[in-house]
Amino acid sequence: MRKIDLETITENIREMILEAACVLEENVWEKIREAIKKEESPLGRNVLEKINENAELAKIKNMPLCQDTGMAIVFLEIGSEVIFQGDLEEAVNEGVRRAYAQGYLRKSVVRHPLERTNTGDNTPAVLHTKIVPGDKIKISLATKGAGSENVSFVKILSPGEGEDGIKKTVLEAVLSAGGKPCPPLVIGVGIGGTLEKAALLAKEALLRDIEDEAEHPLDRKLEKELLEAINKTGIGPMGFGGIVSALAVKVNSYPCHIASLPVAVNFQCHAARHRSRVI
Amino acid sequence: MKKIKLPFTESEILDLKSGEGLLLSGVIYTARDAAHKRMLEDLERGNPLPFQLEDSVIYYVGPTPAKPGEAIGSAGPTTSQRMDRYAMVLMELGAKISIGKGDRSLEFREKLKECRGLYLSAIGGAGALISQSIKTCELIAYPELGPEAVYRLEVEDFPAIVAYDLWGGDIFASGRLLYRK
């Protein structure tokens, strides 16, 4: 057994949020630089150049890339040989609290969806935990803004709708979202599972390295074909028109019931703020 | 990029075309979801509004807190469409120019035409860069709303694109059409 102090988790989360808010992930940044060379629209290119400039400035000045510093979504994969004492959820929230105060990040969480008083410290986080073999803890987190989250959804298709149904669902969503979720986008697609599992798959898909490919050949095919189709829509950077509407499509799948074909689409804006660490 | 000294003149509004890049200097006011809701409630109760709507420019933003020595934190635009229901009322009272991001409802566009207004888009997710053009930031109403309060901003060369112009020009529709394959 390995004992891990909850303060270690708190401090790691604090550091990861602070870094994610101000420093664009290197692989995403590289995709932005590539996109500047690829983009045919002069206005689109100008937008991409500004996005690149923004990332440079944010890094130098240690300033949030985007004013929407999001709600903290934290995934913990906890090794079954790890023990800790105390309140894990509170340890995570304390990390969030410290980061949002120290980093001058925006507090964007309201206590009740209808009553809407700001909690003042950006807590609570949305926490997902999973017990896995081993004696480590993997922390992955996203501080995700609402612009891209607001156009995300889950839909349960009929199995007969198949691959074409999934493509149609994703493309319609991208077209209807237009410039709202801050393209160029990363699109997380979850297929299979159940209502909640599909949503989780889509979110987990966004946590993958932007450069990797899905393991299953069918998912890989979908990733490639959807990316091509999305970049033919003409939406372009910020929706002003262009050929770079998405930087990547990530598909995660899971077994599902004989009667259903759940599909979830989770949009990620170009200011992709994710971090992951193993402790 | 065309330099504009705020407020916009009637002839500037007439001349601008969707897709044109602007650098705005002068005063703009921030308001997003909660502030819009409050302004409409104040209107209903006959209370004075935080700023004069006539000739105003409203920027849909909820900035991050300013670090010591800075005027403001990151301050990029939020999605405009959520404000459409409120903007329909405010436009009739003279607030006919707004800055945000993304396209808007058909109803909003009809009203914008009727009120002879403009809709500008800033670059979403470029909050650090945009903050550099904001010289002062003064809290003027609804402090309890925190990042959603109303702030008066003095801006210098604030970058924005004309999204909807007076002549039905729509950069989201025309841009998409041009690059659709």
Side-chain angles (χ1 to χ4, degrees), chain A residues 38-88:
Chain A
K38 248 189 255 172
E39 182 54 61
E40 292 171 10
S41 147
L43 183 53
R45 226 168 21 242
N46 181 267
V47 169
L48 293 167
E49 277 161 4
K50 297 285 181 218
I51 289 172
N52 181 44
E53 237 178 276
N54 183 67
E56 282 167 4
L57 189 74
K59 190 177 175 183
I60 293 166
K61 294 196 67 157
N62 196 31
M63 197 174 180
L65 288 155
C66 175
Q67 75 292 335
D68 188 350
T69 47
M71 191 167 186
I73 307 155
V74 179
F75 289 84
L76 295 181
E77 286 176 41
I78 304 163
S80 56
E81 293 160 42
V82 171
I83 47 166
F84 41 73
Q85 273 184 332
D87 187 338
L88 177 66

Side-chain angles (χ1 to χ4, degrees), chain B residues 11-27:
Chain B
S11 73
E12 278 167 342
I13 295 176
L14 279 169
D15 282 349
L16 291 170
K17 295 276 174 347
S18 76
E20 221 170 323
L22 307 179
L23 293 171
L24 311 176
S25 297
V27 171

